[in-house]
Amino acid sequence: IYKNNIKFKKLIKTINLMFLRLVQEGFFNKKYYVNKKNLILSPCDFHIGNMIFNKKLYFIDFEYSGLDDPAKIFSIFFLQPELNIAKKYFLENFNKINFIKNKLFRNNVEYLMPLNYLRWSLILLNSLNKEKIKNKQKLIKKVENFMFTRIEYYMMYKNFL
């Protein structure tokens, strides 16, 4: 299905090159430290689509649940495609959230942003496998839009070089 789709092939190539850039520039040589005492029980698939709002907030879809780093959950949530939060707004308000006074937590969130940018890009591309052929171009456009509007989150990797 995809071998003749130029846009799909271009997106895969772009994601691959972005990942290789992280490898080549030594991004993964930097310290990412998680204290096991700080791990929390997490649905690990934490996004708006897995929440029900009805006077209270309910979380559903725990098939991937387990212990996880709160920084990972935080970065995944704020990069989800359903929320389009500009990096500038995100950073301006990052320190206003009470539980983010921990410097290690902040460092880990910022470190994970480029990786979760790539993660969401791949998740969106994978959704092409589930859609009818008539919707594939619309989904490819959604991936392109996500990657274009969130590129500043990927560029946060430069803070760790």
Side-chain angles (χ1 to χ4, degrees):
I1 290 176
Y2 306 115
K3 64 183 176 182
N4 295 325
N5 190 315
I6 295 168
K7 286 186 175 189
F8 179 82
K9 288 165 78 173
K10 182 180 176 186
L11 286 169
I12 291 293
K13 184 177 181 178
T14 299
I15 292 168
N16 186 50
L17 289 172
M18 293 172 99
F19 180 80
L20 289 175
R21 180 184 298 155
L22 296 179
V23 172
Q24 291 167 349
E25 294 194 24
F27 177 78
F28 295 106
N29 297 336
K30 305 304 174 201
K31 295 285 184 184
Y32 172 75
Y33 177 76
V34 178
N35 186 330
K36 289 183 180 180
K37 290 188 271 181
N38 293 337
L39 296 177
I40 62 170
L41 184 60
S42 163
C44 295
D45 191 10
F46 186 64
H47 60 89
I48 288 177
N50 287 338
M51 297 176 192
I52 297 174
F53 302 94
N54 186 5
K55 294 184 183 178
K56 290 184 179 181
L57 177 62
Y58 298 93
F59 297 97
I60 59 172
D61 192 2
F62 286 85
E63 67 195 72
Y64 300 112
S65 64
L67 293 178
D68 212 345
D69 176 13
K72 177 183 157 223
I73 298 164
F74 195 83
S75 67
I76 286 171
F77 182 80
F78 282 96
L79 269 174
Q80 67 183 289
E82 291 84 4
L83 298 176
N84 191 357
I85 300 171
K87 179 187 161 204
K88 178 183 175 188
Y89 179 77
F90 173 77
L91 292 176
E92 284 173 359
N93 291 285
F94 197 52
N95 286 328
K96 294 179 184 176
I97 301 172
N98 286 335
F99 66 89
I100 307 181
K101 302 298 181 196
N102 182 307
K103 188 176 179 182
L104 177 63
F105 178 80
R106 180 184 177 94
N107 183 73
N108 284 353
V109 168
E110 291 183 11
Y111 181 85
L112 291 168
M113 284 299 193
L115 299 173
N116 284 317
Y117 166 89
L118 295 175
R119 175 188 182 271
W120 273 117
S121 299
L122 289 169
I123 287 171
L124 288 170
L125 278 176
N126 189 48
S127 67
L128 289 168
N129 289 327
K130 301 172 188 171
E131 294 295 322
K132 296 177 183 173
I133 292 181
K134 66 179 182 174
N135 293 326
K136 295 210 185 286
Q137 293 306 316
K138 185 177 178 182
L139 283 169
I140 286 174
K141 202 68 158 156
K142 182 177 181 177
V143 178
E144 290 173 331
N145 183 57
F146 173 83
M147 292 181 72
F148 177 76
T149 60
R150 313 292 174 84
I151 190 68
E152 289 181 328
Y153 287 102
Y154 170 78
M155 299 308 289
M156 290 173 80
Y157 83 88
K158 292 182 177 184
N159 298 341
F160 295 90
L161 300 181

